[in-house]
């Protein structure tokens, strides 16, 4: 089996493709760019998670050329759907030579994906102390946990303002997040459960670093210059009113952590709620 062959290819002999452990069926696949796609799959009835957490998902790898044995390829993926959703949604990059994503990007409706239903993570409301305003900072597919939290009623119960920043290289990479936020306006269920017009609490701040767009630049640079705060009409972060969550590449995470410390914010955890939290398990 080559890396470009879907694991459910019926042309393969049944004995050559072991049944996937903890398998869930794919129900929807959407491709946004040649680097990004999202997919949904069934959710085990017994599975419980908090919006913002991640799980291990994957596919079976290629047979070992010497032993013929096949092992699962698993990676940590943030759950993009909210805790109340009947399905599980994920947002992923495509890496042509990536052990898992080179295969995962070819999944189709009806295929099976391995799910290890033991969610964990730090991007949860329990890891933050109460505040007035919450900031979600994302790069690339780091938007995924915030896709969950933006559809979580508690987010709007706990905060007066929700600011989501999303920095990508190209405009097309902003599509997933932009479409999700726009869809909140017409989401009858959430408007009924949270309250009509709940989405007005959101301030969306997308930026690009390579392709020209209405707002260019890295969010950290825009914050240092004060431009981001001026655009959003809010003061710089402070420990009295602001809480934050970060999900991006390692360099981005470390840079923001240093900035937050300068603002006087303290990093929190599930066992010690504080002003901000960082997701360390991020695929990009």
């Amino acid at each position: 089996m080559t890396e470009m062959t879907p694991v459910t290819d019926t042309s393969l002999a049944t004995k050559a493709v072991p049944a996937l452990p903890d398998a869930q069926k794919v129900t929807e696949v959407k491709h946004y760019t040649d680097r990004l796609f999202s997919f949904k799959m069934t959710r085990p009835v017994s599975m419980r998670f908090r919006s913002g957490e991640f799980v291990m998902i994957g596919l079976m790898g290629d047979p070992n050329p010497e032993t013929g044995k096949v092992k699962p390829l698993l990676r940590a993926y943030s759950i993009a759907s909210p805790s109340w959703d009947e399905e599980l949604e994920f947002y992923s990059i495509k890496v042509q030579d990536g052990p898992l994503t080179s295969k995962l990007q070819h999944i189709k409706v009806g295929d099976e994906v391995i799910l290890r239903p033991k969610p964990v993570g730090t991007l949860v409301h329990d890891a933050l102390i109460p505040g007035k305003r919450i900031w979600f900072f994302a790069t690339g597919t780091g938007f995924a946990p915030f896709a969950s939290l933006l559809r979580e009623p508690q987010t709007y119960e706990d905060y007066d303002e929700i600011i989501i920043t999303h920095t990508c290289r190209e405009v097309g990479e902003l599509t997933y997040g932009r479409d999700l936020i726009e869809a909140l306006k017409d989401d009858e269920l959430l408007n009924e459960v949270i309250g009509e017009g709940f989405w007005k609490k959101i301030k969306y701040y997308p930026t690009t670093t390579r392709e020209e767009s209405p707002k260019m630049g890295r969010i950290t640079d825009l914050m240092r210059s004060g431009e981001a705060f001026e655009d959003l009409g809010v003061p710089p972060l402070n420990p009295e009113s602001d809480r934050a969550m970060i999900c991006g590449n390692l360099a981005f995470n470390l840079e923001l952590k240093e900035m937050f410390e300068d603002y006087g914010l303290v990093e929190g955890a599930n066992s010690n709620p504080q002003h901000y939290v960082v997701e360390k398990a991020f695929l990009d």
Side-chain angles (χ1 to χ4, degrees):
M1 179 170 64
T2 65
E3 288 196 342
M4 298 300 289
T5 304
V7 295
T8 53
D9 192 336
T10 56
S11 65
L12 298 175
T14 303
K15 292 183 180 179
V17 185
L20 296 183
D22 301 315
Q24 297 299 318
K25 286 193 177 297
V26 176
T27 59
E28 180 181 292
V29 181
K30 289 184 178 180
H31 294 270
Y32 297 94
T33 71
D34 58 357
R35 294 187 66 250
L36 299 168
F37 73 108
S38 67
F39 60 97
K40 295 181 180 180
M41 60 189 191
T42 54
R43 173 180 176 174
V45 177
S46 60
M47 182 179 173
R48 297 290 181 270
F49 69 92
R50 295 174 296 175
S51 293
E53 290 188 312
F54 66 86
V55 290
M56 301 296 290
I57 65 172
L59 299 170
M60 297 304 291
D62 294 327
N64 183 299
E66 297 180 0
T67 65
K69 291 185 178 180
V70 180
K71 295 183 178 180
L73 292 169
L74 300 173
R75 296 289 186 273
Y77 268 78
S78 291
I79 304 172
S81 47
S83 61
W84 50 264
D85 204 320
E86 295 180 352
E87 293 184 311
L88 297 175
E89 179 181 348
F90 299 93
Y91 184 41
S92 178
I93 57 171
K94 305 174 187 179
V95 181
Q96 299 311 318
D97 58 352
L100 176 59
T101 58
S102 62
K103 299 173 181 292
L104 195 62
Q105 64 183 289
H106 298 293
I107 58 173
K108 297 179 176 60
V109 172
D111 287 352
E112 292 185 337
V113 174
I114 301 169
L115 168 73
R116 295 290 165 81
K118 294 182 179 179
V120 292
T122 56
L123 300 187
V124 293
H125 288 304
D126 294 341
L128 297 175
I129 56 178
K132 172 187 177 183
R133 182 185 303 112
I134 188 165
W135 295 74
F136 296 144
F137 292 94
T139 62
T141 54
F143 191 93
F146 306 135
S148 175
L149 287 160
L150 285 169
R151 291 177 284 183
E152 169 58 54
Q154 185 181 346
T155 301
Y156 303 89
E157 295 169 5
D158 290 357
Y159 299 96
D160 296 331
E161 287 183 284
I162 297 96
I163 299 176
I164 170 75
T165 80
H166 192 197
T167 300
C168 296
R169 290 180 295 183
E170 301 173 355
V171 174
E173 296 173 351
L174 296 168
T175 304
Y176 175 80
R178 184 192 63 235
D179 288 355
L180 185 145
I181 292 173
E182 191 64 27
L184 293 177
K185 300 176 182 180
D186 300 316
D187 192 310
E188 294 182 3
L189 176 61
L190 287 179
N191 273 283
E192 180 178 347
V193 172
I194 303 174
E196 195 71 31
F198 73 94
W199 46 270
K200 294 179 182 178
K201 286 188 174 185
I202 299 173
K203 290 186 176 181
Y204 175 46
Y205 197 68
T207 70
T208 57
T209 57
R210 291 188 185 179
E211 185 179 359
E212 187 173 350
S213 70
K215 180 58 62 174
M216 299 284 294
R218 300 165 70 246
I219 183 61
T220 47
D221 292 337
L222 293 168
M223 290 167 66
R224 285 196 185 91
S225 69
E227 186 175 343
F229 302 118
E230 184 178 346
D231 290 341
L232 290 164
V234 297
L237 282 75
N238 70 81
E240 284 71 38
S241 59
D242 294 282
R243 304 296 174 258
M245 295 184 179
I246 312 170
C247 190
N249 58 65
L250 181 58
F252 177 76
N253 291 356
L254 294 176
E255 187 176 5
L256 270 179
K257 277 168 60 76
E258 184 176 342
M259 292 179 68
F260 287 173
E261 298 296 329
D262 290 340
Y263 288 135
L265 275 62
V266 177
E267 183 174 1
N270 280 279
S271 59
N272 180 31
Q274 289 293 342
H275 305 119
Y276 77 94
V277 286
V278 183
E279 188 54 84
K280 299 175 178 63
F282 172 59
L283 181 68
D284 195 9

